Amino acid sequence: MTRALIAEDEPMLRAQLRARLLEAWPDLTEVIEAADGVQAQELVAERRPDVAFLDIRMPGRSGLDVAREIGALCHVVFVTAYDEYAIAAFEEGVVDYVLKPVTAPRIEKVVARVKARLASAPLDLRALLARLGTRESTTPLKWIRASLGNAMQLIPIADVVYFRAEDKYTKVVTRDAEALIRTPIKELFADLDPDAFWQIHRATIVNLNAIARVERDFRDQPVITLKARPEKLVVSRTFAHRFKSM
């Protein structure tokens, strides 16, 4: 009996990966699903899967965090959007990974490799995870994975005009479109380049390159006019000091 776990916070991507995995590995006994890193870690301890497919970026605990904790309990396959550094590290460490969006040829190769390794102990990932952890803490986010209607889209971070918190989601606004992600504003801001993105309100982060001008309203609060969007963004008093000289 062979069990696999999929840890992915986006339901559509999780369903896609599950479908691809079952196509490539129809004799899997069970596919266990986790919606975040915390649940993934709990399910690994409880259900003892043979292999875990871990999304690198998840709210709460990342795939790297989970991989550190589960240690030698099961084999690990990382799931990631395109990242040159991560992929180079994976290939150097002979670690299996799957790129988003997941393709049938890639998952078939990964499944073949995982099957060949099941008879042996999981790889020791400590050195690789240490390298990736250092890089993750110092490298700004380059891509945003977001829901656009019924589809998923990878948005280059440079294309984002601003982010705004809305209910349980964060809205990602580009020049021509709007999309939704589940990452909270506070957590998102920690991953952004502070020289390119400023928080201007507890619910809003703006791309400095998207600002046309900053003026002051009748309350003497800064108001941002954007280059490519008609709406204006009001800077709260908490963050107004950033625009003091304007």
Side-chain angles (χ1 to χ4, degrees):
M1 297 196 306
T2 306
R3 292 188 180 94
L5 177 137
I6 295 173
E8 165 62 64
D9 61 299
E10 292 290 349
M12 283 187 289
L13 287 177
R14 192 165 65 246
Q16 181 197 48
L17 179 52
R18 179 190 180 92
R20 296 286 193 201
L21 181 58
L22 287 172
E23 287 172 5
W25 201 345
D27 54 338
L28 271 175
T29 306
E30 185 180 14
V31 178
I32 307 157
E33 296 187 24
D36 56 47
V38 174
Q39 186 182 24
Q41 191 173 322
E42 292 172 350
L43 286 172
V44 167
E46 177 186 335
R47 307 288 285 276
R48 293 301 177 102
D50 300 280
V51 56
F53 290 79
L54 305 175
D55 182 19
I56 286 186
R57 288 189 174 274
M58 291 185 287
R61 297 184 68 80
S62 71
L64 301 183
D65 294 331
V66 176
R68 289 187 191 97
E69 293 297 328
I70 65 177
L73 292 178
C74 67
H75 295 269
V76 169
V77 177
F78 289 109
V79 184
T80 181
Y82 186 75
D83 182 304
E84 287 185 28
Y85 181 87
I87 290 170
F90 294 158
E91 291 179 342
E92 181 182 320
V94 201
V95 175
D96 287 308
Y97 67 93
V98 178
L99 284 178
K100 300 177 188 179
V102 179
T103 64
R106 179 59 191 172
I107 197 74
E108 287 170 4
K109 290 180 181 179
V110 168
V111 165
R113 287 164 61 90
V114 170
K115 283 182 175 181
R117 290 178 176 173
L118 286 179
S120 57
L123 294 173
D124 185 345
L125 301 178
R126 286 175 295 182
L128 173 68
L129 292 173
R131 285 179 54 197
L132 286 172
T134 301
R135 179 73 177 193
E136 185 181 55
S137 65
T138 58
T139 302
L141 200 61
K142 294 181 180 179
W143 298 86
I144 292 289
R145 187 182 73 242
S147 299
L148 194 60
N150 292 323
M152 294 300 303
Q153 183 178 8
L154 283 176
I155 303 172
I157 199 69
D159 291 352
V160 177
V161 175
Y162 66 91
F163 298 95
R164 175 165 287 165
E166 291 196 353
D167 297 323
K168 296 180 180 179
Y169 297 90
T170 296
K171 182 163 68 173
V172 182
V173 181
T174 64
R175 179 187 182 99
D176 303 310
E178 298 179 3
L180 294 174
I181 59 176
R182 295 190 177 194
T183 309
I185 280 285
K186 183 177 181 181
E187 185 177 323
L188 177 65
F189 185 63
D191 287 336
L192 295 171
D193 182 351
D195 292 329
F197 287 87
W198 281 5
Q199 186 161 7
I200 60 168
H201 186 278
R202 62 181 177 80
T204 310
I205 298 169
V206 68
N207 185 341
L208 298 182
N209 292 317
I211 296 176
R213 62 181 182 276
V214 181
E215 301 169 313
R216 292 186 176 273
D217 63 12
F218 67 94
R219 297 166 298 178
D220 199 36
Q221 282 187 258
V223 177
I224 293 173
T225 297
L226 301 166
K227 294 176 182 178
R229 300 279 305 188
E231 62 267 32
K232 295 181 185 291
L233 305 179
V234 178
V235 181
S236 71
R237 296 191 184 282
T238 303
F239 300 97
H241 65 277
R242 291 180 175 273
F243 302 91
K244 190 174 182 180
S245 62
M246 297 181 180

